[in-house]
Amino acid sequence: MRNPYNLVNKLFNTSEKTKKKKADEEEEGGGFKTGEGKQTQRYCSSGLHVMPVQLVFGGTSGTQVPAHLTRLPIPLISTSTDCSDKTVKDVLEVAGFTVGNSPTFQKDKLHPCNLHLSGEQACIYVLSSAFSAVSLPANKRSSSAAAKVLKSSKVSKYTYTRLSELKPGAVVNVYGVVVFFKQPFMSKGTDYCSTLKITDQSNQKVSCTIFCEKPEDHPRIFKTGDIVRLHRVKTKLFDGAVSLLNTFGFSVVTFDGAEGAAIIPRTASRSFHFNQVDQQTVEELRAWAATQGLISSISWIPLSAVQPKVYFDLTCQLLSKAPVDSTCVLLKVWDGTRCTHPLMTLSTEPAVTEGTSSLSKERDNLIAIVFVYDDHVEGTRKLKPGDFIRIYNLHALPAAGRLPGDFINQSEGTDKLVFHLHWGTSFGRGIRILPNDSQDIQDLKSVLELFPEDELNDSVLLEVWSTPPGTLDGSVEYATERRCAHNMDPVPLAQVKQADLFGQFHVKAQLRSYQPLKLYQALKLHCPKCNFIRDIPDGETVADLFSEASLKSGATPVPWAISGTVHLPAESHNSCSRTLTFYQSRQLITEGRPRDLVYLMGATLQETKKLAVGDQNIIPVLSLGGSLTLLPLSAPFLFQGRKQFYGCSQCSQVCLKALPEGMGMMTEKAVAEALGVQLLHHSLLMKLELQDETDMLQAFLWRDAEQFFQVSAEEAAASQEVQDVIQQTMTRLCSAGSSMTERPWLHLCLTSYQVEDNGQKKTCYQICNTAATINQPRC
DNA sequence: GATTAGGCTTCG
């Protein structure tokens, strides 16, 4: 089956690419804590003296070079220079130095002097500008970021201790393969805590405990076998074994542990060091881990393999989220596989559900209900429908008598499965969002893409639910309103583009431009069977088809109809007299309604239109090889009042024969069926360029275009007045020559989806479940 | 330079 969205895309031949914003960057701890107002010092040893080294940041916060120090230009330095309260700026700024003759000046012809840094006054200020190549404005930082790699920096070199050689009471750097981990969870103190156990070629297993205020600063571990590099962890004896605990300047980088996988560092650090030696270390650990069976060849257990009572890690896409009570949240998820054990189905309150509150029955055993309890509820706050997540140590259980809240009443006596993420973190129980570009998610996406994209949306259509007026903010009048069942906050367009996932978004935006400007060109014909979309042919083309057909209008008797003729005299010297032939169905004659449907041969387009006025059903026919048939399907096969209906030339199998008994109303659908015609539906297709403060985004108006304009496309094709309604709406949203400040704001529900365009996957957007609101004439 | 946790299944 062809994907209609692909065709929507192709009809406009869009070239808009998914602009994946490059992941932002954060600064590595690197020995310096960067917290605002925290004066931080590190000490490097210089002979017997301990000389402070301070990292200096721009702006007003953090460490500054003391104001009493003045900068000494390097060319002015001589042995007679007064050095007190002076600084010299290079990559470093130094103070408390003495100046001596350079013993190598004759040779290197550089500066004749050397700065001597010794004694208690000596101090080096390391300027943040030295790191400027990797710094980004704070508002561009994000926890999902990949950091910039400082390959050539000589600022630091790290040595790594084998895990078997750890001695208590030291600060070390280590590499290891993760054999156990817990996602960060809130401790009873001020920090999130995560624990992991790592091993290396020494086969020593070492537990690590990480305390960090922000979850994103913790190791970003997705599964056992991942490789971590920990900088500045201290060794501590606990329970007779050396364990590791993060300490000042702690930083961590995580890598996929699979051999051959791209070495992509996962870190919240804005910069970090990674050289060839590191690459080799990762590769060696990967190779070693593979021989130790530390890497599972199966990335995850699919839903299809889940049996009652098992604990497993589920990698899935979040479809919806709804609170149950203060200690429990219900998630609906899927991974594209059908569970062999029946899955429990439950509906959630649309008003409190993010995503879709009830899902199509077609999805039986595809959608898993997950109850998330207690401390894990916090972790669901930032989850959005569409997110790809992994739920660790999920417990599959028969629903019978085990459900929280009011659901308990729906579960009596059922052995259908539900999934629980219980209290506590034992066995690494937890939940985390996986990045879209991770291999496991790529694999999952390719499975999910096998499902028609709009299947999930079907149920949304059944739940048309107007946004209560109270949710509109302030006095701003919006020219459209959402009619969807989602309960989500609007997000900036930039965030929509960045998200790169299939799902729904609410946005507030203005209309910058639209296509086509000639609105009749927005009218299309769509085949619901093969999904082909085509333009409505213009009048001239259709008239030509009728002219050609009139040449094939010889008397053709058929057993299922009786015929009559009308002779039309020549209208002028140049034209000939013509004969129109009418056919009336014997079946309809029997039923006493012969005029309900008339087959007409030899008429022009204009004549056919005139005859159809007054709700007459006219089927234009021609004679081909002695039998009666329809005109080519690029012409309308049925005229009904002012309406004209078309058939799909690909999916129709035209056969004119006796009408069935008791056809009832002569609807276009009934007629099409009787003729073997696959009816084409009228639809509207437009491309809207949206804009908000953050970005622009091109979205199609197609599936729900009729809802948007509150007109029927079929009516629009037949009525200038209805076309005027569409024109008026577009003028109101985006009148030619108006400035953006004059244009109204729109509340929109967007659906994003992926299509293939010449083998390239691209993300497209559609405006769904949205209707124009103000000054809307009724039709 | 404090504190947090220190794996080892579930209340629903």
Side-chain angles (χ1 to χ4, degrees), chain A residues 166-170 172 196 205-209 233-246:
Chain A
L166 297 174
K167 302 278 179 290
V172 295
L196 53 149
K205 290 187 175 60
V206 177
S207 293
C208 315
T209 307
V233 283
K234 64 183 174 195
T235 54
K236 204 178 153 189
L237 210 52
F238 176 77
D239 253 0
V242 172
S243 63
L244 295 168
L245 194 63
N246 62 310

Side-chain angles (χ1 to χ4, degrees), chain A residues 13-32:
Chain A
N13 193 24
T14 53
S15 58
E16 188 189 341
K17 285 182 182 160
T18 316
K19 284 170 200 156
K20 267 191 178 175
K21 288 218 166 174
K22 280 211 162 179
D24 289 333
E25 303 169 8
E26 294 264 333
E27 190 169 331
E28 179 183 25
F32 307 95

